[in-house]
Amino acid sequence: PDVIIEAQFDDNDAEHGQDHLQDTLTDDIKKLSLDTGEKGKAAGVTGVHRTKQDDGPKVNDPRLLPDEFLQRTAKVVYILEKKHSRAATGFIKLLADRNSELFKRCAMFSPVDHRVPRVYVPLADCPPDFVTKPEAYSQMLFICRIVDWKEDSNFASGQLCKSLGQAGEIEPESEGILTEYGVDFSDFSPEVLECLPQNLPWVISPGELAKRRDLR
């Protein structure tokens, strides 16, 4: 583009004549041309670099791509240990579709923990009068254990283990939590109880207190 440069001069410039003014303008134009050329070269290099970076390497063989362009994928081949107990606490209810064949065989178990899927449980595991009076068990907590989950089914398959009691009470809720996490809360065996002091009331001897750290 054409560049217009305005030159300012005073009386001293006028005394030196037009030659001096012309030389000044010529020097300014040369400097401007050099600056513009350098900036253009720099912009051109930068532009080429950005284009290559944005486009990325276009190759047909993924093995030739750098790691930063790859998304690693994996496949589960074996389960070493099942950490979850497959047991859950929840409620049972009848299926919505009363005309289906599944309604005659199964009920729906809805876990309290929403991370656990809903489960089909056999009606044989449910209370005898559940089909005729389902509302009587709407607030009754049950323990269900997942046994299978087919790939073509939206819900898992399981078995009802036991009835815990009414929801909201401390004992049923506590037992459900312990069962879900696989905590053995059954009574101690006689062999374990025999290891405890038999002469009651039992007290800690002064010698034991002296060599132990008291955390009471």
Side-chain angles (χ1 to χ4, degrees), residues 59-66 70:
V59 294
N60 295 327
D61 191 354
R63 293 174 297 180
L64 301 179
L65 290 172
L70 298 178

Side-chain angles (χ1 to χ4, degrees), residues 6 10 27 40-41 56 70 89 93 116 118 153 159-160 168:
E6 295 182 359
D10 51 16
D27 293 339
K41 292 180 180 179
L70 298 178
T89 306
K93 59 183 180 180
V116 182
R118 286 182 289 177
S153 177
Q159 294 178 346
L160 285 184

Side-chain angles (χ1 to χ4, degrees), residues 3-4 14 27 43 45 55-56 66 79-80 92 99 120-121 134 149 153 186 188 191 197 200:
V3 179
I4 300 175
D27 293 339
V45 173
D55 292 343
I79 298 177
L80 292 177
I92 57 174
N99 298 323
Y120 286 134
V121 294
W149 195 351
S153 177
S186 59
F188 290 105
E191 291 79 11
L200 301 177

Side-chain angles (χ1 to χ4, degrees), residues 74-210:
K75 180 181 179 181
V76 177
V77 295
Y78 186 74
I79 298 177
L80 292 177
E81 182 182 1
K82 295 181 179 180
K83 303 295 291 185
H84 196 272
S85 64
R86 301 298 189 272
T89 306
F91 305 93
I92 57 174
K93 59 183 180 180
L94 295 176
L95 298 180
D97 189 1
R98 297 178 175 269
N99 298 323
S100 64
E101 290 294 329
L102 196 60
F103 178 86
K104 302 176 182 179
R105 295 183 290 106
C106 298
M108 179 64 70
F109 175 82
S110 297
V112 175
D113 188 352
H114 297 291
R115 296 173 298 179
V116 182
R118 286 182 289 177
V119 185
Y120 286 134
V121 294
L123 285 177
D125 296 345
C126 301
D129 57 345
F130 169 68
V131 177
T132 57
K133 296 190 300 182
E135 64 279 357
Y137 300 93
S138 60
Q139 297 299 319
M140 184 75 67
L141 282 176
F142 290 87
I143 287 289
C144 175
R145 192 175 299 274
I146 298 175
V147 296
D148 190 19
W149 195 351
K150 299 183 182 300
E151 295 182 357
D152 58 349
S153 177
N154 294 329
F155 307 107
S157 301
Q159 294 178 346
L160 285 184
C161 298
K162 62 181 298 186
S163 173
L164 297 177
Q166 290 293 326
E169 298 181 0
I170 295 179
E171 292 185 2
E173 297 280 357
S174 301
E175 184 177 349
I177 295 174
L178 294 173
T179 304
E180 287 182 8
Y181 287 92
V183 179
D184 184 8
F185 56 93
S186 59
D187 295 336
F188 290 105
S189 62
E191 291 79 11
V192 176
L193 295 177
E194 289 176 359
C195 299
L196 299 177
Q198 303 299 322
N199 297 325
L200 301 177
W202 177 78
V203 294
I204 303 175
S205 63
E208 286 292 333
L209 284 176

